[in-house]
Amino acid sequence: MALFDKLDLARMLGPLPDRAAPVAHGARHFVNGQPLDPPFPVGTEDVFFGMGCFWGAERKFWQAGDGVHVTAVGYAGGTTRNATYEDVCTGRTGHAEVVRVVYFPAALSFDSLLKLFWESHDPTQGMRQGNDVGTQYRSAIYTTTPAQRAAAEASRAAYQRVLTDAGYGAITTQIAPAPPFFYAEAYHQQYLAKNPGGYCGLGGTGVACPAGPLGA
């Protein structure tokens, strides 16, 4: 089904109802053994990145360095509480597939996470990422502090300039305060560590994101 047909059908049918209980998502990170659920250590912050299929996206961030405390995948930005993967794939929940990144800002700067985000996918594709098509594959940054949001918006402007120079169109990335986050099913968590030969559709533009404070 074409993307616009699917979007039109989703709009016609309306949002899916909430589910009463969250899906079982497991207790600990498969790679580093840290608890997936809060409370998280004092001194950490979290942020949520949507950049296409969350399998490859999560791997990018758990490999980002010792400053990352834990990562987890789930759904955010939609209307259906406790949505399942099957629910999200209908396009009727409004959710994006996202990675929760819990990190220590004293050890790993937010600007470095933003650089990894921008360079690891194509943020100009709208409701898709490569061959993955649908609302859940949109590009998004859901922030948890005003400073994060300001940095994200500044880096978007900086990256737009270099993308434009390289012949790309407008960035479609949504930047907004973090909405409710719903963990994805246990088999999605750290999927590419459990299945090293698994599918990863992640691919960047090859255009470097400007480095420095706030992407300047």
Side-chain angles (χ1 to χ4, degrees):
M1 183 182 295
L3 172 59
F4 291 109
D5 292 341
K6 186 174 181 180
L7 289 174
D8 289 341
L9 180 61
R11 293 190 190 100
M12 181 178 68
L13 294 175
L16 290 177
D18 295 343
R19 290 184 178 270
V23 300
H25 61 271
R28 292 188 175 273
H29 197 279
F30 184 78
V31 177
N32 68 19
Q34 296 291 351
L36 296 181
D37 291 277
F40 299 121
V42 173
T44 59
E45 291 184 1
D46 56 352
V47 62
F48 302 85
F49 292 113
M51 45 200 290
C53 176
F54 50 20
W55 291 347
E58 186 184 17
R59 181 170 62 181
K60 286 285 185 181
F61 289 104
W62 87 58
Q63 293 178 340
D66 293 338
V68 173
H69 173 68
V70 75
T71 59
V73 295
Y75 315 113
T79 58
T80 303
R81 295 187 62 81
N82 300 318
T84 67
Y85 180 70
E86 288 73 20
D87 291 339
V88 172
C89 286
T90 68
R92 295 176 58 197
T93 71
H95 288 303
E97 293 188 15
V98 300
V99 181
R100 180 179 213 163
V101 181
V102 182
Y103 67 103
F104 289 95
L108 183 66
S109 73
F110 187 58
D111 288 327
S112 68
L113 294 178
L114 289 171
K115 183 175 175 65
L116 180 60
F117 167 80
W118 293 120
E119 293 181 355
S120 296
H121 76 304
D122 181 347
T124 70
Q125 294 193 34
M127 299 295 182
R128 68 180 302 155
Q129 197 60 214
N131 293 325
D132 294 322
V133 179
T135 55
Q136 80 231 52
Y137 301 116
R138 67 186 184 270
S139 178
I141 305 172
Y142 296 131
T143 60
T144 59
T145 71
Q148 283 183 357
R149 184 167 185 179
E153 290 173 346
S155 70
R156 178 174 60 187
Y159 199 41
Q160 182 66 75
R161 290 192 289 271
V162 295
L163 284 177
T164 299
D165 290 345
Y168 284 87
I171 289 174
T172 59
T173 304
Q174 178 190 17
I175 299 174
F181 170 75
F182 304 99
Y183 285 92
E185 294 81 350
Y187 76 91
H188 288 299
Q189 306 296 337
Q190 302 84 60
Y191 180 86
L192 291 180
K194 300 170 184 173
N195 302 274
Y199 168 77
C200 176
L202 208 61
T205 61
V207 179
C209 180
L214 303 184

